[in-house]
Amino acid sequence: MPKIKRKRKGISSKTRWAIKGYVKQGYSANKIQKKLKSQGLGIRRKTLLAEVRKIKGKKKKPYSVKYTPKKYRRVTPKARKPVFRGKHIAVYRYARTLRHRRPYSARFEFYGNGKDLAKAVRLALSGIVPRCERPFVECSARAFLKNPYRYGEDGEWVNRPNIES
């Protein structure tokens, strides 16, 4: 099978020569990019800045994210909560409250030991539903039993809710 000749990525020698000349004349990166574009030699800004640094013999700043606008920064993944290995139970269905008469999809997800889970499910079925602003709630059964109104409010499930474990 014959080898396929691939095009080398990077910048051409003509472009590199032009950049060297403009750097010697003291042009800024913006001005160099405009000049190259007018000559039909436009390149990416990131590539141009790397080449200018190489010509000037300067290193890249160590914390470059600081100079990048927030909307263009790469988002680092947040540390995930450790997954609870015990029992899980979900109570879900359409619900409505006095403030929101229109039914909305709501879901409680409880985790913990058997007795606490059973009590939490009974309490949720008795008329406490997740708030419309935050309809998906995941919490421990014990925390829900201590303060149910932190996670929901008085309301009603439209039909008997599904319980999934």
Side-chain angles (χ1 to χ4, degrees), residues 72-84:
Y72 296 118
R73 289 183 190 170
R74 287 198 177 133
V75 178
T76 55
K78 293 180 180 177
R80 300 184 96 199
K81 286 190 279 183
V83 177
F84 182 76

Side-chain angles (χ1 to χ4, degrees), residues 1-8:
M1 188 188 242
K3 282 192 171 182
I4 299 171
K5 207 172 191 183
R6 297 195 179 191
K7 203 173 185 182
R8 196 174 136 236

Side-chain angles (χ1 to χ4, degrees), residues 46-141:
K46 187 176 181 177
T47 311
L48 173 68
L49 292 172
E51 191 64 28
V52 168
R53 272 194 299 276
K54 196 159 82 174
I55 293 166
K56 288 184 174 181
K58 293 193 174 187
K59 291 182 181 177
K60 190 174 180 181
K61 295 204 174 170
Y63 188 63
S64 59
V65 177
K66 186 165 83 173
Y67 306 105
T68 309
K70 285 182 181 176
K71 65 180 180 179
Y72 296 118
R73 289 183 190 170
R74 287 198 177 133
V75 178
T76 55
K78 293 180 180 177
R80 300 184 96 199
K81 286 190 279 183
V83 177
F84 182 76
R85 298 270 180 223
K87 296 179 180 180
H88 277 81
I89 258 189
V91 178
Y92 60 94
R93 184 59 81 160
Y94 284 98
R96 71 176 120 207
T97 63
L98 293 173
R99 292 186 307 131
H100 296 278
R101 295 304 305 162
R102 196 167 172 203
Y104 60 93
S105 180
R107 180 181 181 101
F108 275 125
E109 255 187 43
F110 303 119
Y111 54 87
N113 66 23
K115 285 185 180 181
D116 288 342
L117 283 172
K119 288 178 186 176
V121 168
R122 267 190 246 117
L123 185 58
L125 293 176
S126 72
I128 294 179
V129 297
R131 289 188 186 86
C132 185
E133 299 84 38
R134 194 166 170 228
F136 178 80
V137 178
E138 183 179 8
C139 65
S140 78

Side-chain angles (χ1 to χ4, degrees), residues 12-40:
S12 67
S13 57
K14 186 178 179 182
T15 307
R16 190 170 277 123
W17 179 81
I19 293 171
K20 280 182 185 177
Y22 291 133
V23 168
K24 283 182 183 175
Q25 290 176 18
Y27 283 17
S28 68
N30 280 341
K31 205 165 192 180
I32 293 172
Q33 198 165 23
K34 285 178 187 172
K35 290 272 189 183
L36 290 174
K37 192 174 180 184
S38 68
Q39 295 172 14

